[in-house]
Amino acid sequence: MRGLALVLLIMSGCAFDVSYVTRVPTTFEPAAPNGPNWVLQQPQSIGVGSGFPTRLRQGTHWQRAGTIPQGDVFRTGDQIVTVEASNTFEAMVVLRDNTLVGFYLPVEHSFVAATEPVKLPIQQGAQP
Amino acid sequence: MTRSIRPFRGLAPLLFALLAALFLSGCATSGATYADLQAKLPPPPPGDGRIFIYRSTVAGAAVQPSVKLNDAVIGSAVPRGFFYLDRPAGDYTISTETEVKRSLSLTLAPGQVRYVRIGIAFGFFVGHVYPELVEDAEAQSDIAGCHLTGS
């Protein structure tokens, strides 16, 4: 009985936030409209260590929204992009030399690094 | 001869009736549906965007936590129900809480419409209710039969 009480006590104090991402505060500098853009040529799945990868769809158009110290920030209107753990964050992708290095969270003003940077198969300058 | 003792046998119909009543009482069975209202809704005021919040299933119907926008209560997660609100463009966090708190952060642009579905997952004592951002096309199909519960 004591053991059960102890388990219940521990569980009740557990936040159940078993999945989380490491967010690094960063500074976003918006870019002028009509900046560089590209189209993703193949679907991609990018992990952030939470167990819930972010999937990017083939054929989505991306436009540069700005920069952060970690790279260039791109957004798309063709799909919803989120970083998911116990909580969910709307996100934009961060590229350095056509390699996706992580995600920018505009609400949290934070950067989340990709578990493994991914060289994206992209077509530069494609018109949406 | 041994006789099996089943002390709860007579309670089964009662239990079933109670569960059915609980299940049905948890559903948003009144109010216009999204499909009825969609074309009649005025656009959000200039500078504002609109957020629809809905729960498309009746799973875990007894669990109906409050839904908060930036920590202020804006409604309840009623099964088969929806509500919406217009807010100035900006950054928002939508959260729900049962035995744990789950949140979704999103941006809202002027004139933009966002759809947030309230899902439910297994919990330790109570189901975990969580908000998720849904693509417009999927959401409009998902929400069509949901009933307005207030905004």
Side-chain angles (χ1 to χ4, degrees):
Chain A
M1 193 64 182
R2 238 182 237 173
L4 177 63
L6 184 63
V7 167
L8 290 176
L9 186 66
I10 292 170
M11 292 303 286
S12 66
C14 177
F16 288 93
D17 284 336
V18 291
S19 176
Y20 63 92
V21 289
T22 303
R23 292 179 278 155
V24 179
T26 193
T27 307
F28 177 78
E29 293 289 338
N34 303 319
N37 63 86
W38 45 269
V39 174
L40 187 64
Q41 299 296 299
Q42 290 172 10
Q44 295 291 318
S45 184
I46 298 103
V48 289
S50 65
F52 302 98
T54 297
R55 294 187 169 82
L56 306 181
R57 291 188 204 143
Q58 181 179 5
T60 43
H61 292 77
W62 300 78
Q63 182 93 36
R64 193 171 76 167
T67 59
I68 59 174
Q70 290 85 356
D72 288 328
V73 178
F74 290 83
R75 64 155 61 101
T76 183
D78 295 339
Q79 71 163 92
I80 287 172
V81 181
T82 56
V83 166
E84 196 178 337
S86 286
N87 296 313
T88 305
F89 312 90
E90 189 168 24
M92 302 178 196
V93 300
V94 179
L95 267 64
R96 188 180 282 276
D97 299 328
N98 292 351
T99 297
L100 195 155
V101 294
F103 296 91
Y104 173 63
L105 312 184
V107 177
E108 289 75 16
H109 308 289
S110 297
F111 172 75
V112 175
T115 311
E116 284 185 32
V118 178
K119 186 85 172 173
L120 292 183
I122 63 179
Q123 180 189 347
Q124 297 278 4
Q127 293 302 310
Chain B
M1 188 175 116
T2 54
R3 184 180 165 196
S4 68
I5 300 170
R6 301 173 68 182
F8 300 111
R9 188 178 181 184
L11 292 179
L14 179 62
L15 187 61
F16 178 79
L18 279 172
L19 284 174
L22 188 64
F23 179 80
L24 290 171
S25 68
C27 300
T29 50
S30 60
T33 64
Y34 175 86
D36 294 335
L37 286 174
Q38 185 190 12
K40 300 172 191 165
L41 293 176
D48 282 13
R50 177 167 291 167
I51 305 172
F52 283 95
I53 295 169
Y54 70 98
R55 185 170 166 187
S56 57
T57 71
V58 293
V63 183
Q64 299 182 22
S66 297
V67 179
K68 294 180 179 177
L69 183 76
N70 293 355
D71 288 328
V73 175
I74 52 169
S76 295
V78 178
R80 301 293 294 159
F82 82 94
F83 60 91
Y84 69 94
L85 60 166
D86 298 333
R87 286 292 183 276
D91 300 337
Y92 293 97
T93 299
I94 292 171
S95 60
T96 53
E97 188 169 359
T98 52
E99 61 186 8
V100 292
K101 184 176 181 179
R102 291 285 179 259
S103 67
L104 161 71
S105 64
L106 58 89
T107 58
L108 185 66
Q112 187 178 25
V113 178
R114 315 292 325 248
Y115 293 90
V116 175
R117 178 168 55 208
I118 305 296
I120 188 161
F122 288 110
F124 188 71
F125 293 110
V126 181
H128 294 184
V129 177
Y130 59 91
E132 59 179 329
L133 202 50
V134 184
E135 304 277 358
D136 292 3
E138 179 186 350
Q140 284 169 15
S141 158
D142 219 14
I143 197 176
C146 293
H147 297 261
L148 183 66
T149 60
S151 67

